[in-house]
Amino acid sequence: MIGHVFEIQPFSIHDGPGIRCNVFLKGCNLHCLWCHNPEGRLLRPVELSFVPSRCVGCGYCFRACKRNCHIMIDGKHIIQWDRCVRCGLCAKECYSNALTTVGYEATPEEVIEEVMRDAIFFDTSGGGITLSGGEPMMQHEFVRDVLTLAKQHGLHTALETCLAYDYGILDGIKENVDLFLADYKATNPQDHKRFTGVDNQIIIENLANLYHDGMNVLIRCPIIEGLNDTDEHFRRIAELTQQYPSFMGAELLPYHRLGISKIERFGLKGDIQYAEYQTPSLESQQRWIDTVRCHGGRLINDDVLTSER
């Protein structure tokens, strides 16, 4: 079994209890306009990253590229992204690290071996492994094998997921998930489809399925000012926490701009629909939290957050 990984991030404290190791898997079935991990959106093994400010103009990448993707315009190094197949040959020759690759193939055993390097921190903090993305369930067989190994090693496991898929593919997986971090992005089905490319009916059904199966769930709600910061949406978030009392509750995650620079750096403008939004003020964030709580919602937000996690 081989999976496509774009990052393994140790010492994470936001995606589940304790100190965690986050494994980010490539591929996603949604097209969120505010995506903050666009390098994980496409299910291809490798993305090429280019940071022009690091380029020293040595020309090695020009010679390495077999498709003539690299050109100079007015003294500036430009990549013709529409010609690039992300082979990574240019990055291998770039000693200034202006060009690097992100993404690689790994077996479940290799993933767990790297995760277990932090085992001492899991033991002392109650942490573990979190699978994220992209959408991890785009590689559900790989997820199944990673989580099986994780439980064999006694790890606490979390799965961050959009739930926009047939519930049956969680068979053999959900039994090894200690915590679902379930996205809830918009209440109105038309808005959800406009924001993400799909409506939210199957997501709502799968929240109910997780509840009926006794799963531990935290509902995570990215909030983007001017898109989904509506009273209707906040009221429904509150209702979901009341409707499913065994769930941990909900968490509001304010939009941040990290994805904008990534779109440029990975040359994804032609591949991914994306829009730029305002970073919400602290006052706006507190108002959102207060609104959900006024509707009777159970939030784990202790205070205003400064970025979407």
Side-chain angles (χ1 to χ4, degrees):
M1 180 64 66
I2 296 293
H4 298 302
V5 179
F6 70 89
E7 185 179 6
I8 295 183
Q9 181 186 80
F11 303 112
S12 175
I13 59 171
H14 296 307
D15 299 305
I19 297 173
R20 311 192 67 77
C21 189
N22 285 3
V23 179
F24 294 91
L25 302 181
K26 284 183 66 64
C28 190
N29 53 334
L30 300 188
H31 312 277
C32 301
L33 295 176
W34 55 82
C35 178
H36 63 281
N37 282 336
E39 72 273 34
R41 172 56 189 92
L42 303 175
L43 191 54
R44 58 189 178 195
V46 175
E47 299 294 341
L48 180 68
S49 167
F50 178 46
V51 181
S53 62
R54 296 179 183 170
C55 179
V56 297
C58 66
Y60 290 165
C61 59
F62 285 69
R63 294 193 289 272
C65 181
K66 299 183 182 302
R67 297 178 62 86
N68 298 317
C69 300
H70 300 267
I71 59 175
M72 294 293 291
I73 298 179
D74 297 329
K76 293 182 178 180
H77 182 177
I78 304 295
I79 296 180
Q80 300 180 92
W81 289 105
D82 59 331
R83 301 174 63 92
C84 181
V85 294
R86 277 70 174 178
C87 66
L89 292 175
C90 58
K92 291 180 180 179
E93 300 296 326
C94 182
Y95 66 87
S96 69
N97 286 326
L99 292 159
T100 56
T101 56
V102 171
Y104 56 93
E105 293 182 336
T107 65
E109 291 79 8
E110 289 169 337
V111 168
I112 293 299
E113 181 180 1
E114 183 165 351
V115 169
M116 288 303 295
R117 294 173 185 171
D118 294 334
I120 188 172
F121 301 107
F122 306 152
D123 294 340
T124 57
S125 70
I129 182 175
T130 297
L131 298 185
S132 186
E135 169 50 57
M137 294 300 289
M138 292 287 287
Q139 302 183 58
H140 60 92
E141 293 179 333
F142 184 72
V143 166
R144 177 199 62 208
D145 289 359
V146 170
L147 290 175
T148 298
L149 286 173
K151 296 313 293 183
Q152 289 174 4
H153 284 79
L155 295 181
H156 181 279
T157 59
L159 178 65
E160 185 170 18
T161 179
C162 70
L163 292 179
Y165 44 78
D166 183 274
Y167 190 71
I169 68 172
L170 282 172
D171 290 343
I173 293 175
K174 63 180 182 289
E175 295 82 359
N176 287 323
V177 177
D178 294 309
L179 174 63
F180 282 88
L181 304 171
D183 293 344
Y184 185 71
K185 302 174 188 290
T187 292
N188 181 282
Q190 290 75 33
D191 284 345
H192 197 282
K193 187 167 186 177
R194 180 162 57 92
F195 301 156
T196 72
V198 302
D199 71 31
N200 60 358
Q201 184 59 42
I202 194 167
I203 296 168
I204 293 170
E205 292 174 0
N206 283 338
L207 280 173
N209 289 331
L210 289 174
Y211 178 72
H212 293 143
D213 282 345
M215 298 292 106
N216 189 27
V217 178
L218 172 63
I219 303 171
R220 306 186 93 188
C221 310
I223 306 298
I224 295 80
E225 203 161 22
L227 282 190
N228 62 353
D229 58 335
T230 65
D231 189 71
E232 174 196 25
H233 187 45
F234 293 137
R235 181 185 297 273
R236 183 55 182 150
I237 291 170
E239 290 173 350
L240 286 172
T241 68
Q242 298 165 357
Q243 184 177 353
Y244 302 127
S246 65
F247 285 2
M248 287 181 62
E251 181 179 24
L252 305 187
L253 305 176
Y255 167 79
H256 67 63
R257 298 163 57 86
L258 181 61
I260 297 170
S261 62
K262 289 184 176 183
I263 290 287
E264 295 282 349
R265 180 158 59 95
F266 291 102
L268 294 171
K269 277 189 173 181
D271 297 320
I272 294 179
Q273 185 181 8
Y274 192 82
E276 184 174 347
Y277 302 97
Q278 289 295 116
T279 301
S281 67
L282 299 182
E283 291 77 15
S284 291
Q285 296 175 48
Q286 190 61 60
R287 185 173 65 253
W288 300 340
I289 292 170
D290 292 343
T291 301
V292 174
R293 286 182 171 150
C294 283
H295 289 308
R298 293 183 293 111
L299 290 180
I300 70 165
N301 296 73
D302 292 326
D303 205 341
V304 169
L305 302 177
T306 57
S307 66
E308 181 187 344
R309 295 168 179 172

